[in-house]
Amino acid sequence: PLVALGTVADVVRLDANNRRLVAQGLRRIRAGAMPPGVAALFRAAGRRPEVATTFDFGFALGPRINAAGRLADMTLGIECLLTDDPGRADELARLLDGINRERRDIEGGMRDQAIRLAESLFGMQQAVEGQDKAQAGMPAAISVFDPEFHEGVVGIVASRLKDRHHRPVFVFAASGAEGKSHELKGSGRSIPGFHLRDALDLVAKRHPGVLLRFGGHAMAAGCTIARDQFPVFERALAQVAAEWLDAATLTRRLETDGPIDREYLRVELVDTLHREVWGQGFAPPTFSDEVEVVSQRLVGEKHLSLKLRLAGQPVDGIWFGQTEPLPPRVRLAFRLDADEWQGVRRLRLMVEGAELPR
C-alpha cells in the first residue's frame, strides 16, 4: 500500500513494473490490508478503501500528506504513515486534513491573484480555450510574484497557471517571514518541448548574478533570485521561451480515443475503468465527440455544470475550472465518470477540453 501510494502521489511513470506494484497495493487496500495511517487518511478524506483507485492516491491521500510539508511539519505525514496505533493515526489524519483545508484556501487566493497578474501584466483578457494566445498578447513564458504569496504553495499555483495558459510558468514568493525577505523563491512548471532547467541555465549565462541558486529537470524546476531582479528574470525567461517555442508547441492538444459507441455509455463501464490502474504514462481513456449543449450553469462560481446530448442520449457533464460558456454544439474531450443523487448512480462526463470555432 505504501509503495502504491508513493508511486502515484509522486507522479512516477507507470511502466510495467510500477503498474504491477500499484495494482498489488490497491488489491491489498481494497481487501482491508493496509497500515492504520492509510486507513485513517481514507476516512479523513471521505473515500472508501474497498473501492480505492489511483485517483484516491493522487487527489485525496497524497495532498493531505504533502500539505504538512508545505505549511507545517512534514514529519506529521511520515508519522501518520508509520504509526501502528490506530488512535494516533486517526488523530494525525484529522490534523493533516485540517492543514490541507488551509492549504486549499491559501492556494485558491493565490491562484486567483496569479491569474489576475498574468492577464493584467500582459494586457489581455482571459483567452477563450482554443484561441491562439500568442496572438492575444501573452508571452511564451509567464512569471508572477506578489508579496502576499506563500512560499509553500508556489509550485501548485505554477502548475495551475501552466495548465490554464499552456505556457512555462514561474511563481515566486518572498523567502522568509511576512514576505519581507530580499530573496524570492520561485517554483516553475513547464510544457512538453521546453526544458525548464536548461532554460534557467541559459538565463544564468546571459544574466550573471540574477539566479542565486537553481535546479530541477525538464518539467519542474526551482530557483532563488534577489527581489529587485524579478523584472530581469521575467524578461529573460520570456525571451528564452520565445526563441525555443513555436506556435504549434504553444497550442494545447489533447490525445483522445475518439468517439465512444452509445452502447458503452453506462455506469457499469465506469466501474470497470475505475478498477484499473491509471496514472503518469498510462492515462485513462479520454474520448471526444460532438455534443449538443442543452443547458449550462456555473456551480461554485468556477465550474461549468452541463446538460448534454451525446449520440442522441441525454447525459450530465462537469468541467472543473471552466467559467466561459460553451456554444450550442461543440466537440468535447471527456472521461467517463458517475455521480450519485438520491441513491441513484448516473453516468457523467468529466470534460477535459473543447475544440471551439476560431
Side-chain angles (χ1 to χ4, degrees):
L2 294 180
V3 170
L5 171 59
T7 300
V8 176
D10 206 32
V11 201
V12 176
R13 185 173 181 83
L14 291 184
D15 58 19
N17 285 331
N18 285 336
R19 194 162 181 267
R20 290 186 183 100
L21 292 169
V22 173
Q24 290 297 325
L26 279 172
R27 182 176 299 176
R28 285 160 172 75
I29 288 173
R30 291 166 181 166
M34 72 194 99
V38 173
L41 286 168
F42 268 97
R43 288 191 292 272
R47 310 294 294 184
R48 297 167 56 203
E50 62 270 21
V51 289
T53 67
T54 51
F55 179 90
D56 295 320
F57 294 155
F59 295 93
L61 276 65
R64 285 166 171 78
I65 299 168
N66 288 337
R70 298 182 189 279
L71 301 185
D73 181 357
M74 65 179 292
T75 62
L76 295 173
I78 297 172
E79 184 185 354
C80 182
L81 294 177
L82 293 181
T83 183
D84 292 325
D85 182 346
R88 178 60 175 162
D90 276 329
E91 178 186 350
L92 289 166
R94 289 194 296 269
L95 179 59
L96 291 170
D97 184 61
I99 296 171
N100 190 55
R101 292 175 189 275
E102 181 185 357
R103 187 272 305 169
R104 283 203 301 258
D105 290 341
I106 294 172
E107 178 199 334
M110 278 181 59
R111 182 185 62 245
D112 293 344
Q113 175 64 359
I115 289 170
R116 287 192 291 269
L117 285 171
E119 294 175 355
S120 64
L121 284 173
F122 307 119
M124 63 167 289
Q125 298 297 318
Q126 179 180 344
V128 176
E129 188 70 29
Q131 181 179 345
D132 186 348
K133 295 174 184 176
Q135 301 302 319
M138 175 164 280
I142 301 170
S143 302
V144 295
F145 161 67
D146 188 280
E148 301 300 318
F149 283 176
H150 192 291
E151 182 182 343
V153 192
V154 288
I156 298 175
V157 175
S159 181
R160 301 288 190 264
L161 271 184
K162 181 265 298 181
D163 291 342
R164 180 184 181 89
H165 294 299
H166 197 68
R167 295 286 191 275
V169 172
F170 256 93
V171 177
F172 286 88
S175 176
E178 300 180 0
K180 295 179 180 179
S181 170
H182 295 297
E183 291 186 357
L184 304 181
K185 285 191 176 180
S187 185
R189 298 294 183 269
S190 193
I191 60 175
F194 189 80
H195 196 296
L196 205 54
R197 195 269 174 198
D198 288 354
L200 291 179
D201 186 56
L202 183 54
V203 169
K205 288 181 170 66
R206 289 179 174 179
H207 304 272
V210 169
L211 287 169
L212 304 178
R213 293 174 294 278
F214 71 92
H217 52 83
M219 302 305 290
C223 68
T224 301
I225 64 175
R227 190 167 186 152
D228 59 2
Q229 292 297 306
F230 174 75
V232 179
F233 175 88
E234 180 183 21
R235 292 192 297 269
L237 185 67
Q239 179 61 38
V240 173
E243 296 169 6
W244 289 6
L245 297 172
D246 56 20
T249 310
L250 290 170
T251 300
R252 181 178 180 237
R253 287 178 171 82
L254 282 173
E255 292 185 358
T256 79
D257 296 287
I260 180 172
D261 291 340
R262 178 173 177 170
E263 62 184 291
Y264 296 113
L265 294 174
R266 60 181 192 270
V267 171
E268 290 77 14
L269 179 60
V270 174
D271 295 335
T272 299
L273 293 174
H274 280 182
R275 284 192 293 269
E276 298 303 321
V277 178
W278 312 106
Q280 183 70 17
F282 204 95
T286 300
F287 305 98
S288 60
D289 207 345
E290 186 173 288
V291 302
E292 176 187 350
V293 180
V294 178
S295 66
Q296 52 189 312
R297 62 186 179 89
L298 281 179
V299 293
E301 299 183 357
K302 58 182 65 175
H303 311 302
L304 197 59
S305 177
L306 301 162
K307 297 288 186 182
L308 306 169
R309 190 171 296 277
L310 172 62
Q313 177 174 325
V315 61
D316 291 342
I318 184 74
W319 191 350
F320 291 111
Q322 174 72 7
T323 57
E324 296 295 317
L326 294 174
R329 295 198 68 85
V330 63
R331 180 173 295 276
L332 296 180
F334 56 88
R335 292 182 292 108
L336 298 182
D337 195 22
D339 65 347
E340 187 170 331
W341 176 250
Q342 295 182 340
V344 178
R345 297 181 70 228
R346 300 174 301 176
L347 183 74
R348 180 173 67 169
L349 306 187
M350 303 282 287
V351 180
E352 299 286 328
E355 186 177 66
L356 301 177
R358 293 183 180 272

